[in-house]
Amino acid sequence: MADARTAVNPLFLREEDLRQAIELLFFAYRDFTGEADQLLVEFGFGRAHHRVIYFVGRQPGMTVSELLGILKITKQSLSRVLGTLVTEGFVTQRRGERDRRQRLLHLTAKGADLERRLTERQRQLIAAAYRAAGAEAVDGFRKVLLGIVNPADRATLLDQRRGRP
Amino acid sequence: MADARTAVNPLFLREEDLRQAIELLFFAYRDFTGEADQLLVEFGFGRAHHRVIYFVGRQPGMTVSELLGILKITKQSLSRVLGTLVTEGFVTQRRGERDRRQRLLHLTAKGADLERRLTERQRQLIAAAYRAAGAEAVDGFRKVLLGIVNPADRATLLDQRRGRP
DNA sequence: CAGATAGGGCAGTAATGTTGACATATTCTC
DNA sequence: GAGAATATGTCAACATTACTGCCCTATCTG
């Protein structure tokens, strides 16, 4: 059976193709996050804690507002999670110098360690999938996912690649 | 600045590349599910209801066990969501003929309609991203995501493409 | 018939999320 | 400098989704 779909007309998207994409996203995300979940329970943390640790580690000195914008949750939801992380010594809050209302977020050594351990598994999973798929496939993966992300965050993701933190 | 990464050695994966992948997955999944969430609240449903409606619509006559295996949640968690959907007339349970212990799940017309409306937005988002990225990129997207999915579900996803439901 | 399986139910608990109102400190603007 | 705006934190009340553990019925299979 010849596969005319990809060979001839790349824009002919069957219902089946789109459903497959939906399922791929569901299964891949489920398994991807599952990697870290096992480790998180040992600390009594959930995914919300992971996300905070990840993004603070990614951009040290981040403000609470910036974090809220990324996670797209309410102040209240973040507050509990962040409070726990600060109390248990994974994250520190330092008063901003330029704007003293801000609490700039940083990981402690303990926090950075957990971040590494959590992300390590996910990195390995991605790295294995990247290696198995090859460089061209990786570019395609990036292109499609970027197309799914809303334009504002898409721009941010692209900026980061150009070395601008 | 020459980009030796993809041009020369596809397997040299920098920390930065892997972090970008992690973030792409996070943002893409967040925005992808956000599409349907808006509609779900109008019905008083959450993502869990959507997942059930989606997979039952995908494979009519599915058993409760099969659904549990896909969602990887407990019987109890599914029970509540499924119960609501049955009570409100979105899903029906028919006793299995071969095995009368089974409750085969089907969408009602009402359920199928909601499924279409929910998935429609997500399909459009995927379709737009696919068109913007091009056929080659789509293949790469599939390859990488398949690599992230656990081997068992990966096999299922591949089987479905060959027409075997 | 005995044991395994499919499904359902109950009780209790936890994590994560929501809204809305309000307080404090700080910065910005006129 | 007064007043508006901003960044952050906090309280209360609540919903959804998930979990564990235990128990029950109906049904199938050997």
Side-chain angles (χ1 to χ4, degrees), chain B residues 63-65 75-76 79 82 93 99 101-103:
Chain B
T63 68
V64 173
S65 293
K75 208 168 40 164
Q76 196 51 236
S79 162
L82 192 53
Q93 297 178 311
D99 184 337
R101 290 172 304 180
Q102 297 180 332
R103 302 298 143 85

Side-chain angles (χ1 to χ4, degrees), chain B residues 49-79:
Chain B
H49 300 86
H50 185 187
R51 290 194 284 260
V52 170
I53 287 179
Y54 178 85
F55 285 107
V56 171
R58 168 65 158 186
Q59 197 178 314
M62 173 176 262
T63 68
V64 173
S65 293
E66 286 168 343
L67 193 50
L68 284 173
I70 287 175
L71 301 178
K72 292 227 205 306
I73 58 175
T74 59
K75 208 168 40 164
Q76 196 51 236
S77 299
L78 175 59
S79 162

Side-chain angles (χ1 to χ4, degrees), chain A residues 25-46:
Chain A
L25 277 172
F26 171 74
F27 286 113
Y29 195 77
R30 185 198 62 182
D31 292 344
F32 174 70
T33 53
E35 283 295 306
D37 287 351
Q38 301 161 354
L39 186 55
L40 283 164
V41 294
E42 294 176 24
F43 287 81
F45 291 155

Side-chain angles (χ1 to χ4, degrees), chain B residues 77-116:
Chain B
S77 299
L78 175 59
S79 162
R80 251 176 325 218
V81 173
L82 192 53
T84 308
L85 290 173
V86 170
T87 304
E88 299 191 12
F90 291 89
V91 172
T92 58
Q93 297 178 311
R94 294 183 206 153
R95 180 158 290 201
E97 292 191 3
R98 211 200 54 220
D99 184 337
R100 287 160 46 83
R101 290 172 304 180
Q102 297 180 332
R103 302 298 143 85
L104 308 183
L105 306 172
H106 294 265
L107 294 184
T108 61
K110 191 174 162 190
D113 187 59
L114 178 56
E115 195 278 333
R116 256 190 306 278

Side-chain angles (χ1 to χ4, degrees), chain A residues 130-149:
Chain A
Y130 269 16
R131 289 207 183 87
E136 262 187 51
V138 168
D139 279 344
F141 167 79
R142 289 195 189 116
K143 265 189 207 164
V144 173
L145 283 187
L146 270 175
I148 294 174
V149 174

Side-chain angles (χ1 to χ4, degrees), chain B:
Chain B
M1 209 192 299
D3 193 349
R5 197 178 65 262
T6 54
V8 176
N9 184 358
L11 300 185
F12 175 55
L13 295 169
R14 297 180 308 170
E15 158 92 11
E16 184 59 27
D17 294 318
L18 298 173
R19 280 198 173 261
Q20 189 213 24
I22 290 174
E23 285 157 36
L24 275 172
L25 277 171
F26 171 74
F27 286 112
Y29 196 76
R30 187 198 61 181
D31 292 344
F32 174 70
T33 53
E35 284 292 308
D37 287 351
Q38 300 162 355
L39 186 55
L40 283 163
V41 295
E42 295 175 25
F43 288 81
F45 292 155
R47 261 181 223 175
H49 300 86
H50 185 187
R51 290 194 284 260
V52 170
I53 287 179
Y54 178 85
F55 285 107
V56 171
R58 168 65 158 186
Q59 197 178 314
M62 173 176 262
T63 68
V64 173
S65 293
E66 286 168 343
L67 193 50
L68 284 173
I70 287 175
L71 301 178
K72 292 227 205 306
I73 58 175
T74 59
K75 208 168 40 164
Q76 196 51 236
S77 299
L78 175 59
S79 162
R80 251 176 325 218
V81 173
L82 192 53
T84 308
L85 290 173
V86 170
T87 304
E88 299 191 12
F90 291 89
V91 172
T92 58
Q93 297 178 311
R94 294 183 206 153
R95 180 158 290 201
E97 292 191 3
R98 211 200 54 220
D99 184 337
R100 287 160 46 83
R101 290 172 304 180
Q102 297 180 332
R103 302 298 143 85
L104 308 183
L105 306 172
H106 294 265
L107 294 184
T108 61
K110 191 174 162 190
D113 187 59
L114 178 56
E115 195 278 333
R116 256 190 306 278
R117 290 180 59 193
L118 285 168
T119 315
E120 182 58 25
R121 300 187 181 206
Q122 297 189 323
R123 273 202 293 258
Q124 283 170 8
L125 187 61
I126 300 277
Y130 269 16
R131 291 208 181 86
E136 264 187 48
V138 169
D139 280 344
F141 167 79
R142 289 195 189 116
K143 265 189 206 164
V144 173
L145 282 188
L146 270 175
I148 295 173
V149 174
N150 74 75
D153 287 324
R154 185 184 307 155
T156 308
L157 284 164
L158 286 170
D159 280 353
Q160 286 175 343
R161 299 291 296 176
R162 300 198 194 94
R164 234 220 36 196

